[in-house]
Each structure stands twice: as C-alpha cells, then as structure tokens.
Amino acid sequence: MPHADLNERQREAVLATEGPILVIAGAGSGKTRVLTERIGHLIADLRVSPYEILAFTFTNKAAREMKERLERVHPGSTEMLWVGTFHATGVRILRRHGDGAGVRRDFSIYDTDDSTGLVKAILARNPNDARFVKSPRVLRDIISRMKNDLVTPELAAERAVSNGEQRVAALYAEYERDLRKANALDFDDLINKVVELFAARDDVRELYARHFRYVLVDEFQDTNPIQMAMIDGLASYHGNLFVVGDDDQSIYSWRGARVEHILEFEEVYPATKVIRLEQNYRSTQTILDAANGVIAHNQGRKGKNLWTDGGVGDKVRVTACLDEESEALSVIDLVKREVSAGTSLKQIAILYRTNAQSRALEDVFKMGSMPYQIIGAVRFYERTEVRDILAYCKCIVNPADSINLKRIINVPRRGIGKTTIDQLEALAADRGVALVDAMREAQSTLGAAAASRVQSFLALFDELRRMADTEVAPHVIDAILKATQYHKHLEENYPDFEARVENVDELVSAAHSYAEGAEDKSLRAFLEEVALVADVDTLDLESGQLTLMTIHNAKGLEFDAVIVTGMEEGLFPHYNSIDDPTAVEEERRLFYVGMTRARQRLYVTFAAMRRRMGMMEGGMPSRFLNEIPERTLESPIEPVASPSVYGGAWSPRREYSRSLRDEYAQPEAADSYSQEASVAPSRPTALPAAEVSGGSEHNYEVGMRIRHDRFGAGIVRKVEGRGEQTRVTVIFDAGSERKFLVHYAPMRPL
DNA sequence: TGGTAGAGGCTTTTT
DNA sequence: GCCTCTACCA
C-alpha cells in the first residue's frame, strides 16, 4: 500500500488533492515529505502530467531538493514540473508573456545593490527631496515595502498626508521610471509584474490558471500580499490550492509577509479543508517542551502543541559568558564535546540573530583551526570584485543599464573621472538617453583627452558586446578579465588581493559549471541564475564543516546539535523590536524556529558584555531564556550579576570603556565572576584569564619552530595572552602569517 | 584625475 | 570597529 509509513494526518494531506487545503504543519512534522509525496501521488496514482503542477518553495535549494527526492521515486517526472521560488517562477512567466505588462523579454534583474544605486542616483538629482529620507537604503526599503503591499506610486501619492510622504511618493515614481528606462526589474517587480500582467490581460491569466491544475505553496506563513495575489491568479481556474505553513514560524513580516494569510485562509477560500500536523519526527521531547514553553507566551497564534513518541533526550544547556570572545570559546568547547561524543561537524549548527555576530565567532574559530562555513555574512555576489565583473556583464547584456555602466566606467582606472562622468550624465538626462548613448554623442562636447578615453572605452565595450552575442558566459567573462587586466587592477589596489583574485576565480568557475549544466549558456541566462541564488542555496551540508548562520537562514533545516548564541535583551529580541509587543512576538517566533532546528541537543549561550559598533556594552539575559520551562533545563539560569565585578548591577545598555573592562577582567575578579556566575555545571572553560590546569603545557616562545596540522611548519612571531587564551602568531614556511589559540589549534613545538 | 585621510554611519532579519 | 563617502591636495 502506498504511503503506508505516513501517519493518519500526513496521509490525509497527501491524498486530499481537490479544492483548497490548508495544512498547519508544526516544526519537524514532516511537511516536506508530505509535499513531495503529494506531488508523487498526483503524478503516479492520478496520472496528472507534471507539467500541470506548480509548487512554490522558499529557496532555490528547497526547490532543488524537492526535485531530487521526486526524481528518485519517480524517475523522469520532474523535467516538466514547475518548482521554484516566487521570484524564479515570476521570471519564467515574464520571459514568456511580460510584454503584456510592458516588460521587454530581455529585461535585466536588479538586485538590492543595483536598486540602491539607482535610488542614490535619484536622490543626487533631487537634493531638495533627499532631506526627507534618511539614506538611499532606507528609501529603497520603503519602496520595496510599498511594492510588496501592492501600493503603486500613484496610490502612494494619493495616500500621502505630509509633505515628506508626498516627496517619497514622487521619488518612488521616479525610481519606477528609471527602472523602465534601464530595462530592468527589481526583485519585487519579478512578482509584481506578474500580478499586473494578470490584471491587464485576462487571457494570459486564464492561460496559466488553466495550465496549472494543482498549485502548492510551502512556507505559506511567510507570503506577502503581492505573492498572495500571484497565487490567487494562478489558482483561479481549477482552485486546487494546497498551502502548507506554520503560524508559529512566521518570521518575515518585515518583508511584508502576513501571517493572516494562514489565519484567514478559510474565510478567503470557503470550502477549505484544514489538516493539522502536530506529531514531530525531528526533536526530542525535551527540546519540544522547551520550545512549546517559549512560544506559549505569544498571544496572536492559533495554538498547537508539538509532541513526539521519540525519547526524552538531554536537557537544554544554557551557558553564561563574559563577552563575545569567551562566548565563542564556549561554543568551541561545546562543539568539541559534541564531536568527541560522536556527532559529526556537519550535524552541528551555530545560530545567531544578526550577521554581525558571526565575526567574533569566526575570529576564534580561525585561531582554533575549527573548520566552518558561514552562510550569508558577506555574500559572495556582493563582494566588490565580484560585483565589478558582474557589472560589466550586466551592461554588456543590457547597455541601457546606466547604473552598472557607471560602476565600471572607470574600473580599472582609465582616466574617466568624476568631471567627465558628470558631463556625460547631464547630457544623458538632457537628451533622455542612456549613459552609453550619451558617451557616443559626447565626442564633440568633451575635451580631446577625455573624448579619446571615452572612445577607447566604447571600443572595448562594443567588442565585448559582439562577443556576448555568440560566446558562452564563461568565455565572455574570461574576455572581460583579460581586456580589463582585472587581476592586475586587484593586485595594484588591494593589499588582500589574493583573496579577491580567488573570489573572481570562483565566479569564473561558477560560470563554467553553469555552462556545463544549462541549456541556455548565454551570459544573459547566467546573470539570471546569479541574480536569483540565495546564500542558503550554496549551503553544503556534506562538506564536513560546522555551519554558522542567522536563524532566518536556518529556516527549514535541521541539525543533531544546535547552539543558539547571543541571547541578550537588545540583541535577541533586537533593540528595534523591543518596544513593540507585536515585534517581540515575531522575535519569539524566531527563537522558536532556532530551537526547533535541533534534533538531539540544544545549547543556548549569552554574554554579559558585547562589543556593539565598537563600544563594549553590558546587556541583560534575554527574556526568552526565562520562558524556557525550568524542567527542561540542565540547571537553572542564575542572574549573572556579580557585585565584585560589575559594581552591583548588571544593567542593560550600560557602557563599559575598554580600560574599565580590562580592569575588571583581571584574574581575581574573573575568578569570582566565574564561580558565582557560571550556570552550567561544566562551566565554559574559557572565561577570561581563568587559570586552567595544563595552561602551561603550551610553552611557546617567540622564535620557536612549530608544526601545524593544516599549515605545516613555521616560526612563532608573537605570543599574547595566557592560559586558554594564549595566542601565537606564526609565520609559516609557505609564507602566510596566521594567529592561533594554542589551546585549540592542532599545533605543536618542533 | 587620483590619492589620502578623516568623518560618519552602521547592524535586524532576505528573495 | 569597519566600511564607505567626501573633501582637499598633489
């Protein structure tokens, strides 16, 4: 019998194929499995053509995995299947029928950075309006938010009450005009334009609505109004709309997501069948109890209680740390303990609220030679050198893209400076043409020297354009690098050019591997792929490394052991949310998502002090910690205040100067701190300057020869700190210089 | 035009 | 504490 190992509810969800269906799927309740088996059931049992099935996932990675699973069970079924993110699906539709909404088929996709550049240019043109806006990025976010809420520039102007709002609406209108002029769509447009298309052309809407007999949506709690409109249009003919979500895991309201889409689904689609999945197959009962206890503090929820018939498991361990550095050391300790207990590194995740927290962790992991991968901190495709090359690619494909043309017009330096560019832009604005056309027309108006430099840039540009017509993406990129001597540019301008060269090489190899797999190997197609990849998409869970990422990025993933760090008021919940009860509830859901990523063991850490924008600040333990039921904790959470250290109180937002901090971090003080403050029985061995037995086993001295397991032999250049925090700087024979924590690094004297 | 130094902003989360 | 932008000088 098919689907025999599903539980009753899951089977119901798989087999209920007709009409609107809402599945409330708790964390770890097997929803991915339900989604794939349901598609399998449609294809194999009901003989539905894969071509008639459309599934929305939250990331490209989730889409790929769903396809792979299906392919294993039903070989050949996925080729015609439409599975992807809203954005990717939008692109697919717009490439075919975009002209119905005034979108040319060869449009470019502007990422966040491109959009910000465009906003910046608009603000520069409108200095009087600029004062109504905090920064280009803020305006870009405001515009994005309006787009996600189906607010057009006209509507924004109508609704504007204050002068500031009117100016914003005007800037928004100008932004839209400039996007059209550049033949570009921003991220939001990829969905927006589909909705416009369906509204403007009923025949096109009906074409797609008839085509897709079955529409499935994963992570439904995180859909925003514009995505909802797109779903609605696509399901408008057959009405077989299957959505899966969890109101407790709604964490994208800042992007316009509306949890109401779940809560009110039954009203919008009256004949809805609701199925609840509450049996959890992922975590231990203890972890579920802990997570249930926390989320129960939220008011605005439908209410559900996850349970498992698996084991009780280990208690949750909370570790108090002095600052972010000792927190990182504690994390290493926890990881080492996990590894010696048999957990593989790839089954361990370190999670945090903000990307900025990754730096302190990364520094310590590097020095301890702990292999790790970070998702999302500095995104690969946002690095300067990668963006430069991509900017070349973008304006080669789309010469109307003045923003990207401006980016590279003088990179590497070719003597086309600010003065010339200003003149060219003025001319472009004057004639209402793209920057590249202004360059062609400017020969008479520019000075002779500038004119000839512009001329030779155009020659290079046109040559590359010709090439892109016929050559595959990796060849064009190679040609760009050669023609611009880009490597030389990196070497001459950046001390860390080696890493940058590596990044460029990585881009080239990405283009190569893309060209190997893809049908359309053109530069345009490659750019499209690049624009839509998210960082999680590159996550490699088989690499045997520890994974670090934000909780947002961890959505949908699971690990044997999870360490959630930085549990402090102001950080988690974040300052920006702390005064708004609704926002705090979202922060709580975020913590809930983090907790429920864990299968076997959950660890939580927090620090008494943390460097924030360069300033050392004291913080209070997060309110969420007190919401974890005590019976699920290994030991109760004690207040970390230690009078002798902190002068009586551990107050929030108190600032400590560096000298003050150093003064208090003296061994005696730190010792009394660690005795009183350590919460976990196995206190982090890394509290500052704590005397550690065996701390003297590392007798490194300057000038000593050492061997490191990964980097080979070298000479000690510098020794700092004491005990477990002893750091040595080593110059390796291979030439590189690195810093290590001797306690953790696989290194010994020779 | 290009280099540099100092100021200022930034850190919420992302397709 | 780091990155980006700007102002000023060579």
Side-chain angles (χ1 to χ4, degrees):
Chain A
M1 166 171 182
H3 320 298
D5 49 348
L6 294 170
N7 70 34
E8 200 55 41
R9 301 277 136 246
Q10 289 176 325
R11 188 175 309 126
E12 198 183 341
V14 166
L15 299 179
T17 54
E18 309 306 305
I21 293 149
L22 168 66
V23 178
I24 309 272
S29 62
K31 76 180 163 74
T32 311
R33 208 172 139 222
V34 165
L35 274 167
T36 22
E37 296 225 5
R38 188 170 186 278
I39 296 175
H41 170 64
L42 288 170
I43 295 170
D45 304 336
L46 303 186
R47 298 283 151 201
V48 174
S49 162
Y51 183 62
E52 298 175 304
I53 302 171
L54 169 65
F56 288 110
T57 58
F58 199 71
T59 62
N60 295 296
K61 183 168 180 282
R64 198 168 53 230
E65 281 171 3
M66 186 180 287
K67 277 191 168 181
E68 280 166 10
R69 280 184 206 214
L70 271 168
E71 196 61 31
R72 249 173 278 144
V73 188
H74 310 283
S77 65
T78 62
E79 205 178 309
M80 307 286 281
L81 196 67
W82 283 54
V83 187
T85 61
F86 284 100
H87 295 88
T89 305
V91 170
R92 229 171 138 175
I93 292 173
L94 292 173
R95 290 280 184 224
R96 287 172 170 76
H97 295 97
D99 47 2
V103 175
R104 280 168 51 183
R105 289 182 194 206
D106 63 342
F107 64 85
S108 319
I109 300 171
Y110 265 17
D111 59 26
T112 314
D113 222 65
D114 297 324
S115 301
T116 311
L118 190 57
V119 168
K120 212 180 278 178
I122 291 167
L123 288 176
R125 278 205 301 271
N126 300 278
N128 288 333
D129 292 348
R131 64 201 165 87
F132 291 106
V133 182
K134 221 171 123 195
S135 71
R137 288 173 57 185
V138 168
L139 178 56
R140 187 250 293 142
D141 285 345
I142 292 171
I143 292 174
S144 171
R145 191 54 200 273
M146 289 196 280
K147 286 186 161 192
N148 279 310
D149 280 341
L150 295 157
V151 176
T152 59
E154 297 75 34
L155 195 54
E158 263 171 51
R159 285 189 190 170
V161 189
S162 66
N163 187 29
E165 282 170 352
Q166 278 166 16
R167 296 328 302 156
V168 166
L171 292 168
Y172 174 19
E174 193 164 342
Y175 171 84
E176 290 292 285
R177 261 199 309 278
D178 280 9
L179 269 182
R180 299 296 88 80
K181 238 194 258 172
N183 185 25
L185 298 188
D186 66 15
F187 274 140
D188 303 318
D189 285 338
L190 299 180
I191 301 163
N192 241 315
K193 290 291 161 191
V194 173
V195 174
E196 275 182 33
L197 170 67
F198 286 174
R201 293 280 303 273
D202 211 49
D203 58 319
V204 178
R205 178 198 54 79
E206 195 170 322
L207 182 78
Y208 281 97
R210 278 174 181 268
H211 172 157
F212 294 117
R213 281 173 63 192
Y214 297 94
V215 177
L216 300 87
V217 185
D218 194 7
E219 307 283 8
F220 186 64
Q221 75 281 356
D222 287 322
T223 52
N224 61 36
I226 197 74
Q227 291 167 334
M228 197 60 227
M230 178 166 162
I231 294 169
D232 204 53
L234 288 164
S236 59
Y237 187 83
H238 296 287
N240 299 322
L241 177 58
F242 181 88
V243 302
V244 190
D246 178 3
D247 50 318
D248 287 334
Q249 294 187 66
S250 154
I251 55 175
Y252 281 89
S253 73
W254 50 274
R255 207 166 83 181
R258 298 279 167 78
V259 74
E260 292 81 11
H261 290 158
I262 281 197
L263 305 176
E264 292 160 10
F265 190 81
E266 293 167 76
E267 291 162 37
V268 180
Y269 299 91
T272 296
K273 177 172 186 154
V274 181
I275 300 167
R276 306 174 71 83
L277 306 178
E278 295 191 339
Q279 183 174 3
N280 174 292
Y281 295 92
R282 177 186 297 154
S283 309
T284 64
Q285 188 64 54
T286 301
I287 290 169
L288 292 183
D289 288 348
N292 284 337
V294 170
I295 201 67
H297 286 78
N298 272 5
Q299 308 295 318
R301 61 189 290 250
K302 273 199 160 181
K304 91 169 83 56
N305 227 20
L306 292 182
W307 60 278
T308 175
D309 57 10
V312 175
D314 296 326
K315 300 265 163 121
V316 178
R317 176 182 292 176
V318 181
T319 305
C321 310
L322 182 68
D323 55 19
E324 73 260 46
E325 193 184 7
S326 65
E327 181 182 51
L329 291 163
S330 300
V331 168
I332 291 199
D333 272 341
L334 293 172
V335 169
K336 288 198 147 183
R337 216 166 294 165
E338 278 291 330
V339 170
S340 56
T343 312
S344 78
L345 277 181
K346 67 178 183 192
Q347 279 305 334
I348 306 173
I350 321 293
L351 307 181
Y352 36 78
R353 176 67 180 86
T354 67
N355 280 306
Q357 288 163 259
S358 68
R359 182 168 240 121
L361 292 163
E362 197 177 6
D363 287 347
V364 173
F365 287 0
K366 256 186 208 152
M367 288 194 281
S369 299
M370 174 74 70
Y372 64 91
Q373 57 178 335
I374 292 193
I375 310 301
V378 188
R379 296 177 175 76
F380 178 71
Y381 289 109
E382 284 176 17
R383 290 168 204 268
T384 307
E385 58 279 13
V386 176
R387 288 209 66 89
D388 281 348
I389 302 306
L390 289 178
Y392 270 98
C393 297
K394 285 180 182 183
C395 51
I396 285 169
V397 168
N398 175 18
D401 186 346
S402 304
I403 291 294
N404 277 302
L405 182 61
K406 203 173 135 189
R407 182 187 175 101
I408 49 93
I409 195 167
N410 201 31
V411 177
R413 300 250 134 87
R414 45 175 73 91
I416 305 178
K418 193 174 180 308
T419 321
T420 311
I421 294 174
D422 283 349
Q423 283 179 40
L424 291 169
E425 280 193 308
L427 183 70
D430 198 40
R431 307 247 175 111
V433 296
L435 186 58
V436 69
D437 299 317
M439 292 173 79
R440 293 187 202 285
E441 292 174 24
Q443 288 307 309
S444 49
T445 46
L446 290 174
S452 100
R453 291 190 204 117
V454 167
Q455 194 56 50
S456 70
F457 173 80
L458 283 173
L460 167 82
F461 186 69
D462 290 337
E463 172 63 29
L464 289 170
R465 289 211 65 201
R466 263 195 301 282
M467 196 173 170
D469 281 342
T470 51
E471 292 285 334
V472 297
H475 291 169
V476 183
I477 294 176
D478 275 334
I480 293 168
L481 293 173
K482 239 181 237 130
T484 59
Q485 297 188 289
Y486 194 75
H487 282 87
K488 197 173 134 220
H489 160 74
L490 289 177
E491 280 172 37
E492 284 170 358
N493 291 285
Y494 300 98
D496 59 340
F497 66 91
E498 281 162 321
R500 290 169 190 267
V501 168
E502 264 174 44
N503 288 331
V504 171
D505 290 347
E506 206 174 319
L507 177 66
V508 172
S509 74
H512 274 288
S513 62
Y514 172 78
E516 273 162 31
E519 217 169 279
D520 183 350
K521 304 175 196 301
S522 70
L523 189 60
R524 195 193 56 71
F526 175 63
L527 282 178
E528 187 165 306
E529 166 100 356
V530 164
L532 296 175
V533 296
D535 282 292
V536 231
D537 296 336
T538 62
L539 174 65
D540 181 5
L541 287 179
E542 298 310 314
S543 69
Q545 294 172 316
L546 189 62
T547 305
L548 281 72
M549 63 188 137
T550 61
I551 300 178
H552 281 93
N553 263 320
K555 176 161 117 158
L557 304 175
E558 57 182 63
F559 299 87
D560 283 347
V562 167
I563 308 173
V564 182
T565 65
M567 294 303 300
E568 296 126 46
E569 285 293 301
L571 191 57
F572 200 1
H574 197 270
Y575 290 112
N576 300 357
S577 305
I578 228 156
D579 299 323
D580 174 359
T582 320
V584 170
E585 295 216 342
E586 177 144 324
E587 298 277 310
R588 189 176 283 111
R589 289 193 293 271
L590 189 60
F591 183 42
Y592 176 79
V593 169
M595 295 174 88
T596 52
R597 299 308 95 197
R599 288 197 200 100
Q600 300 297 325
R601 279 167 304 283
L602 174 64
Y603 304 92
V604 177
T605 66
F606 65 99
M609 293 184 288
R610 188 176 294 275
R611 199 172 280 284
R612 217 179 102 78
M613 290 187 219
M615 289 284 267
M616 193 53 97
E617 289 179 18
M620 296 256 288
S622 169
R623 67 188 75 182
F624 300 149
L625 293 178
N626 295 325
E627 297 170 358
I628 305 175
E630 216 161 295
R631 66 197 151 80
T632 67
L633 293 176
E634 196 173 79
S635 55
I637 302 163
E638 308 274 346
V640 186
S642 165
S644 63
V645 178
Y646 297 109
W650 179 4
S651 59
R653 303 192 193 202
R654 182 164 169 173
E655 291 179 359
Y656 292 85
S657 72
R658 186 165 235 307
S659 62
L660 194 63
R661 184 235 161 174
D662 287 344
E663 191 186 323
Y664 284 130
Q666 290 307 305
E668 311 89 88
D671 265 356
S672 73
Y673 166 84
S674 54
Q675 274 160 20
E676 290 184 36
S678 78
V679 234
S682 48
R683 71 176 164 85
T685 50
L687 282 170
E691 288 304 329
V692 177
S693 64
S696 59
E697 74 193 22
H698 312 294
N699 277 322
Y700 289 98
E701 280 167 30
V702 174
M704 185 183 266
R705 280 195 69 74
I706 60 98
R707 174 167 291 282
H708 187 283
D709 285 356
R710 285 240 303 277
F711 303 107
I715 292 176
V716 175
R717 193 62 181 281
K718 201 168 163 193
V719 182
E720 298 161 280
R722 42 187 294 213
E724 294 216 348
Q725 297 210 325
T726 309
R727 276 163 252 194
V728 298
T729 308
V730 178
I731 304 233
F732 287 99
D733 298 350
S736 66
E737 180 180 306
R738 275 167 218 277
K739 231 180 190 189
F740 300 100
L741 284 156
V742 294
H743 184 77
Y744 293 104
M747 178 175 76
R748 62 195 170 278
L750 275 182

